[in-house]
Amino acid sequence: MSQDKNPEESPIKPWGGRFTEPTDAFVERFTASVDFDQRMYHQDINGSIAHATMLAKVGVLTDDEKQQIIDGLEDIRAEIAAGKFEWSVTLEDVHMNIEAALTARIGITGKKLHTGRSRNDQVATDIRLYLRDEIDVIAKELTRLQEGLLLVAEREADTIMPGFTHLQTAQPVTFGHHLLAWFEMLQRDYTRLMDCRQRANQSPLGAAALAGTTYPIDRAYTAELLGFDKPTANSLDSVSDRDFAIEFCAFASILMTHLSRASEELVLWTSAQFNFIELPDRFCTGSSIMPQKKNPDVPELVRGKSGRVNGHLICMLTLMKSQPLAYNKDNQEDKEPLFDALDTVRDCLRAFADMIPAITSKKDSMYEAAKRGFSTATDLADYLVRKGIAFRDSHEIVGKSVAYGIEVGKDLSDMSLEELQQFSSEITADVFDVLTLEGSVAARDHIGGTAPNQVRKAAATAKTLLAER
Ligand code: ARG
């Protein structure tokens, strides 16, 4: 059917030539992707402009045809941006909607745009472009969050809190040191993101349906016009590869795992039981029944959203598993998980980047907590080793001192010299230098250690990493 024969009917399928009956109405909706792929309209138009520009360069289109196509596409772009474009499910996806609109505008020349191209390489190009643009936004948010962490880490370089293992008080650490641990997780995420970007940023355009095309196309030129690093190497792989989407989801899952861990700590720390930090009211909500409540909703929700992102990774992996070459309609299912992973990660990073610099520490409460759990016991053991006692023996001596402390309700640093000397005659007055929380953290003064001095150095090094981006 040609459009001329049936001007009354809803838009005719661009592929309708060999069909003898219209698509079943439900199947039409079932197979359509326009509801969710229309968000790639900029990328689709940019890809088409690059393709038309290349076709004119190699002589397949005239310069005049190229210009008509570009002008028509720019009009359509403006119409979509203004919310005036009418998307049609009958036209299935973003690609055919825009192409049909172009032909409706400029006539026969619009029908030439698809020369030497297929929706298979078109959609692969669009997703890569879309992903690349979103990666750049996400990279900025990630950097903003890391900057915030450095800001607070420097501010809290001397703040003492208990460090935990098994969520039991272990050794004192500085709050700044703890925040720099989060920074490191995010630093690895950033490098994973950049690694993903690099493999995403290659141009599949020109692979056409699967085997390439008979026209004298210039793939390096379209790649360059679209800001890709280079064309992809194999046409079959180009139209079917979705590794970049899987890689993004893998990055996203690991990042969300990190954010969920930080969230969990923030939730714990804001509780009355820990009472380590305060989140500003603007990042919390109340209860409709309990007037006293101030709930850490933002970290809780971020923690919860890690679930859907993990789901998207599994979804993408399963989608691609066992798919024969080359393009299969299965691939249309790549978009919703990828888009939701992108949206979720971007929003969670934004919430965190806004919230982190606004955290206030409750220093006295952290200090008290660090003192309560015999957190300098290891320091006492190390002290005895320096006095010539073997570590296993000193461990035993300190264990007995702790048992005594529990019995009488005293921290090691609160015991008198005489009390301590019951457990070892090697203990002398200088022991109090190591039993204090300040002495304990200051003594861990090496690369990666918790000493305030090292925290400041690590933050300075981290700043240079961010400056290089
Ligand atoms: N909407 C399709 C997708 O998202 C575009 C490619 C369709 N190609 C095809 N031969 N049916 O993957």
Side-chain angles (χ1 to χ4, degrees):
M1 283 191 282
S2 86
Q3 212 153 8
D4 315 323
K5 275 188 214 155
N6 249 323
E8 306 306 340
E9 268 187 23
S10 61
I12 301 305
K13 310 283 189 211
W15 42 254
R18 59 102 71 214
F19 286 75
T20 54
E21 62 173 0
T23 317
D24 177 271
F26 171 71
V27 169
E28 194 165 83
R29 269 181 285 127
F30 183 67
T31 54
S33 54
V34 66
D35 285 350
F36 49 84
D37 66 15
Q38 56 180 262
R39 68 154 84 187
M40 303 193 298
Y41 76 89
H42 271 302
Q43 290 75 16
D44 196 71
I45 288 171
N46 292 343
S48 290
I49 290 175
H51 182 64
T53 306
M54 180 278 293
L55 289 179
K57 180 179 176 240
V58 300
V60 174
L61 292 179
T62 66
D63 279 341
D64 179 53
E65 288 170 330
K66 171 191 86 175
Q67 205 47 53
Q68 284 184 52
I69 288 174
I70 293 176
D71 294 345
L73 287 170
E74 290 300 357
D75 282 353
I76 293 168
R77 192 202 303 270
E79 201 177 305
I80 299 172
K84 294 194 183 120
F85 189 85
E86 267 188 50
W87 298 99
S88 154
V89 168
T90 306
L91 288 166
E92 200 177 314
D93 54 28
V94 62
H95 325 293
M96 293 201 297
N97 267 269
I98 291 176
E99 193 192 327
L102 180 68
T103 301
R105 258 164 212 273
I106 68 170
I108 182 92
T109 306
K111 296 187 179 179
K112 295 188 179 180
L113 169 62
H114 213 51
T115 313
R117 182 177 78 165
S118 153
R119 275 184 300 152
N120 297 351
D121 61 340
Q122 194 178 354
V123 70
T125 304
D126 290 4
I127 312 169
R128 284 174 183 263
L129 288 173
Y130 187 85
L131 176 60
R132 184 187 70 193
D133 293 348
E134 289 293 302
I135 283 176
D136 292 344
V137 174
I138 286 169
K140 284 210 181 75
E141 290 293 11
L142 189 48
T143 303
R144 200 161 69 81
L145 170 54
Q146 288 186 283
E147 283 165 357
L149 283 171
L150 292 185
L151 188 88
V152 188
E154 283 185 325
R155 198 164 76 205
E156 306 286 352
D158 297 286
T159 307
I160 291 175
M161 66 182 280
F164 299 94
T165 59
H166 313 268
L167 205 56
Q168 311 287 318
T169 299
Q171 292 171 354
V173 295
T174 48
F175 186 34
H177 193 54
H178 195 115
L179 295 171
L180 289 184
W182 293 357
F183 179 94
E184 287 302 314
M185 299 178 195
L186 298 177
Q187 182 60 20
R188 290 192 294 276
D189 290 326
Y190 185 84
T191 58
R192 264 186 286 274
L193 183 64
M194 288 303 112
D195 198 41
C196 167
R197 187 190 194 282
Q198 187 194 320
R199 270 185 298 278
N201 199 32
Q202 298 179 10
S203 176
L205 196 58
L210 76 165
T213 176
T214 55
Y215 299 94
I217 57 168
D218 184 343
R219 294 193 56 210
Y221 185 54
T222 44
E224 191 194 317
L225 289 175
L226 292 168
F228 284 121
D229 293 333
K230 58 179 178 186
T232 51
N234 178 289
S235 65
L236 292 169
D237 180 48
S238 305
V239 291
S240 74
D241 171 33
R242 295 292 182 274
D243 288 4
F244 51 87
I246 299 177
E247 285 186 30
F248 178 81
C249 289
F251 148 82
S253 290
I254 301 174
L255 169 76
M256 290 302 294
T257 298
H258 293 151
L259 293 185
S260 78
R261 296 180 64 186
S263 295
E264 174 76 4
E265 295 187 319
L266 292 173
V267 171
L268 287 171
W269 294 346
T270 51
S271 69
Q273 288 66 28
F274 273 82
N275 195 33
F276 283 3
I277 60 160
E278 179 85 26
L279 291 177
D281 284 2
R282 64 184 183 279
F283 294 104
C284 300
T285 61
S287 158
S288 53
I289 175 167
M290 298 168 283
Q292 85 283 12
K293 293 279 287 210
K294 174 175 163 184
N295 298 324
D297 284 40
V298 169
E300 285 176 89
L301 199 53
V302 170
R303 185 176 61 186
K305 282 183 187 291
S306 61
R308 66 203 281 164
V309 174
N310 287 349
H312 298 324
L313 172 61
I314 297 299
C315 178
M316 286 304 310
L317 286 167
T318 314
L319 171 66
M320 295 312 295
K321 180 189 174 295
S322 312
Q323 258 200 55
L325 288 171
Y327 176 86
N328 299 282
K329 182 76 171 179
D330 311 41
N331 283 2
Q332 183 165 292
E333 284 285 310
D334 61 357
K335 286 166 209 64
E336 287 160 293
L338 178 63
F339 292 162
D340 190 72
L342 285 163
D343 293 348
T344 305
V345 160
R346 195 195 48 228
D347 288 355
C348 290
L349 283 172
R350 179 188 166 159
F352 253 69
D354 289 346
M355 182 178 65
I356 290 294
I359 286 179
T360 46
S361 64
K362 297 183 171 177
K363 296 188 175 51
D364 295 346
S365 181
M366 284 177 162
Y367 192 89
E368 277 314 305
K371 239 185 130 172
R372 267 201 308 276
F374 299 96
S375 62
T376 55
T378 318
D379 297 83
L380 179 57
D382 290 345
Y383 168 88
L384 291 170
V385 167
R386 285 196 295 276
K387 297 264 172 165
I389 296 176
F391 184 76
R392 280 294 157 224
D393 292 333
S394 76
H395 188 287
E396 176 74 14
I397 294 167
V398 179
K400 294 216 163 81
S401 327
V402 168
Y404 169 77
I406 292 169
E407 201 184 305
V408 301
K410 276 188 185 171
D411 182 60
L412 294 172
S413 60
D414 295 331
M415 292 178 197
S416 68
L417 186 58
E418 291 69 41
E419 278 177 301
L420 287 166
Q421 280 172 339
Q422 305 171 67
F423 305 102
S424 170
S425 54
E426 295 298 335
I427 297 177
T428 50
D430 59 353
V431 73
F432 295 106
D433 296 342
V434 308
L435 288 185
T436 62
L437 300 179
E438 290 78 2
S440 173
V441 294
R444 287 163 171 78
D445 190 11
H446 52 75
I447 296 172
T450 196
N453 185 29
Q454 290 294 337
V455 170
R456 278 187 265 274
K457 271 193 202 162
T461 308
K463 269 190 191 161
T464 64
L465 286 178
L466 297 188
E468 282 162 14
R469 287 183 187 171

